[in-house]
């Protein structure tokens, strides 16, 4: 299968690969797997007191499209509020990367990981507020 230039670019130069300190109050971690293929994606955000995502990192064990989707997701999330980031759709990722139909679930994985990271952050903060 031919990958689009954008997928290859993100695959060869992934943005924001790495890990944030999950113990930090400021960090939310999303860990999701794709039942279709067994790929796993970890996406983390670091959120400022104003609710803005100041850093985002990912680690993906999966195909090129999954790596590109998560790389792009971290780029898009940085500088956004949690609300704005929660609005990122897998269809936007798939369109930006020109993913073929069989690779759409890779972008779904990225959307799931974004939502899981935001949920984790919010859960941490509800608990500390209680
Ligand atoms: Fe799992 Fe893409 S099918 S690597
Ligand atoms: Fe399964 Fe890409 S995440 S083929």
């Amino acid at each position: 299968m031919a990958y689009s230039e954008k997928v290859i670019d993100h695959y060869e130069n992934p943005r924001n690969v790495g890990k944030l300190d999950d113990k930090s109050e400021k960090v939310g971690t999303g860990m999701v797997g794709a039942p279709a293929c067994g790929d796993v994606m970890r996406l983390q955000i670091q959120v400022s007191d104003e609710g803005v995502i100041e850093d985002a990192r990912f680690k993906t064990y999966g195909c090129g499209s999954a790596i590109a989707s998560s790389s792009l997701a971290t780029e898009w999330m940085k500088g956004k509020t949690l609300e704005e980031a929660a609005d990122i759709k897998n269809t936007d990722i798939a369109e930006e990367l020109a993913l073929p139909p069989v690779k759409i679930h890779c972008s779904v994985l990225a959307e799931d990981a974004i939502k899981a990271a935001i949920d984790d952050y919010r859960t941490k903060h509800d608990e500390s507020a209680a």
Side-chain angles (χ1 to χ4, degrees):
M1 175 186 330
Y3 281 117
S4 73
E5 269 174 40
K6 281 181 180 163
V7 170
I8 291 168
D9 178 37
H10 278 277
Y11 181 72
E12 288 182 344
N13 310 292
R15 325 307 194 247
N16 309 310
V17 172
K19 195 175 190 324
L20 298 169
D21 179 10
D22 189 41
K23 292 189 190 67
S24 163
E25 280 284 292
K26 290 167 150 264
V27 172
T29 301
M31 186 93 180
V32 295
C37 65
D39 294 354
V40 177
M41 187 180 288
R42 183 186 70 219
L43 197 148
Q44 295 181 296
I45 50 172
Q46 182 175 313
V47 184
S48 73
D49 293 338
E50 292 74 35
V52 174
I53 297 171
E54 47 191 18
D55 204 357
R57 295 293 162 87
F58 81 95
K59 182 81 197 165
T60 293
Y61 301 91
C63 68
S65 300
I67 289 167
S69 295
S70 41
S71 171
L72 181 65
T74 57
E75 273 197 327
W76 279 358
M77 292 179 87
K78 278 194 191 182
K80 284 194 164 62
T81 64
L82 289 175
E83 287 72 23
E84 289 166 346
D87 269 349
I88 296 173
K89 299 274 180 299
N90 87 280
T91 46
D92 300 331
I93 295 171
E95 191 181 332
E96 173 72 16
L97 296 174
L99 296 182
V102 296
K103 291 288 175 181
I104 295 300
H105 79 270
C106 317
S107 63
V108 173
L109 199 59
E111 184 184 320
D112 289 349
I114 292 170
K115 297 215 153 68
I118 292 171
D119 280 354
D120 182 59
Y121 177 82
R122 289 193 166 136
T123 304
K124 263 187 188 176
H125 285 259
D126 286 344
E127 280 172 5
S128 55

